[in-house]
Amino acid sequence: MDNLFNRKISKKDLEDFEMIGDGKDGEIYKVADDKVLKYFFKEETHQRELEAMKIGQTSDIMPRLYEFGDNYIVMEFVQGISLARHMKRHGYIDEEMTEKILFVLEEFKRLGFTRWDTEIRHMLMDENGEFKVIDHKRAFTSKSPVPTKLLKGMKKFGLTGEFLENVKNLNPELYDAWKKHK
Ligand SMILES: Nc1ncnc2c1ncn2[C@@H]1O[C@H](COP(=O)(O)OP(=O)(O)OP(=O)(O)O)[C@@H](O)[C@H]1O
Ligand SMILES: [Mg+2]
């Protein structure tokens, strides 16, 4: 596959593209209808995220990885709304949604990640109603057997209790391990 970009890119190479997101570690540019480029401020963060994305390619919860250089990754553009936005818009988490969230966490485990957690703003629901998760730089550097970040994010919308009730029905053992984080 021909690369769209050189091994290392500068901000100048990106000036013709629209920036659709940014964060502490980089900026996200729309480079094709179905692709975004994440430009990293630090190569170390880039390495960590790339490693997790490569390993995650066997999973449907991971955006497709198309190409990369020293300081960028080109990946699938996930069109859809985040779990955060969903909760804000609808004000509930039903059992079906809970199952999908549990599936994401099981996939982290299956992939060998040590962080079995994510942020509600990093879970994006695609047009098929399935979650794809972005921002995996902490997949191997944090150790989280309990999804405390996720539960904390739900708390902001008053939905942790509802979510945990669903977990209790679906998987009582998990509920027992998580209930103290209500
Ligand atoms: N593959 C993608 N498809 C669609 N939107 C994306 C994608 N990747 C990133 N974004 C958008 O860009 C934003 C920032 O991306 P990301 O969280 O990866 O950056 P970051 O600098 O690592 O963030 P943080 O400050 O959380 O560490 C996301 O919240 C999302 O809105
Ligand atoms: Mg982020």
Side-chain angles (χ1 to χ4, degrees):
M1 185 176 69
D2 279 343
N3 271 16
L4 286 170
F5 302 96
N6 295 323
R7 221 161 60 87
K8 190 162 179 175
I9 54 174
S10 66
K11 287 277 287 267
K12 195 151 179 10
D13 298 318
L14 297 166
E15 66 189 8
D16 290 337
F17 301 105
E18 185 196 351
M19 190 171 86
I20 62 155
D22 66 332
K24 285 189 298 293
D25 301 290
E27 295 172 351
I28 285 67
Y29 293 85
K30 188 101 190 295
V31 294
D33 278 350
D34 56 345
K35 290 176 185 167
V36 297
L37 181 149
K38 182 166 178 177
Y39 168 83
F40 290 81
F41 303 136
K42 283 193 196 155
E43 289 186 23
E44 193 216 324
T45 325
H46 167 266
Q47 265 316 312
R48 286 161 51 193
E49 186 151 346
L50 181 62
E51 187 193 2
M53 283 201 71
K54 281 181 177 168
I55 288 169
Q57 290 303 294
T58 62
S59 176
D60 288 339
I61 65 138
M62 187 66 71
R64 294 306 90 199
L65 171 64
Y66 295 119
E67 66 177 73
F68 54 86
D70 291 343
N71 61 348
Y72 72 89
I73 295 174
V74 179
M75 70 181 92
E76 174 185 354
F77 169 58
V78 185
Q79 184 136 35
I81 68 166
S82 68
L83 177 58
R85 191 160 279 253
H86 174 91
M87 291 191 297
K88 192 170 180 182
R89 199 178 278 181
H90 302 287
Y92 66 85
I93 301 182
D94 61 14
E95 206 163 283
E96 193 187 342
M97 184 72 80
T98 304
E99 272 183 306
K100 288 177 178 179
I101 295 167
L102 294 183
F103 175 71
V104 164
L105 298 173
E106 275 164 24
E107 284 292 90
F108 289 159
K109 209 165 170 173
R110 182 181 70 81
L111 291 167
F113 293 1
T114 51
R115 183 186 197 229
W116 304 339
D117 195 5
T118 184
E119 305 258 1
I120 53 172
R121 69 174 195 281
H122 290 150
M123 291 185 64
L124 306 179
M125 191 168 255
D126 70 13
E127 55 251 291
N128 304 316
E130 301 305 325
F131 281 119
K132 300 241 191 259
V133 185
I134 54 165
D135 203 347
H136 294 280
K137 59 189 169 260
R138 294 190 183 81
F140 295 105
T141 51
S142 334
K143 192 164 189 287
S144 321
V146 177
T148 51
K149 281 267 153 59
L150 207 60
L151 292 170
K152 207 170 179 180
M154 289 174 181
K155 204 171 218 164
K156 237 180 66 189
F157 298 96
L159 292 175
T160 314
E162 193 168 309
F163 173 72
L164 286 174
E165 278 309 305
N166 294 333
V167 173
K168 192 180 189 172
N169 293 330
L170 294 163
N171 189 331
E173 271 175 46
L174 268 190
Y175 174 78
D176 281 337
W178 295 358
K179 66 185 173 202
K180 59 174 172 293
H181 300 272
K182 229 184 230 174

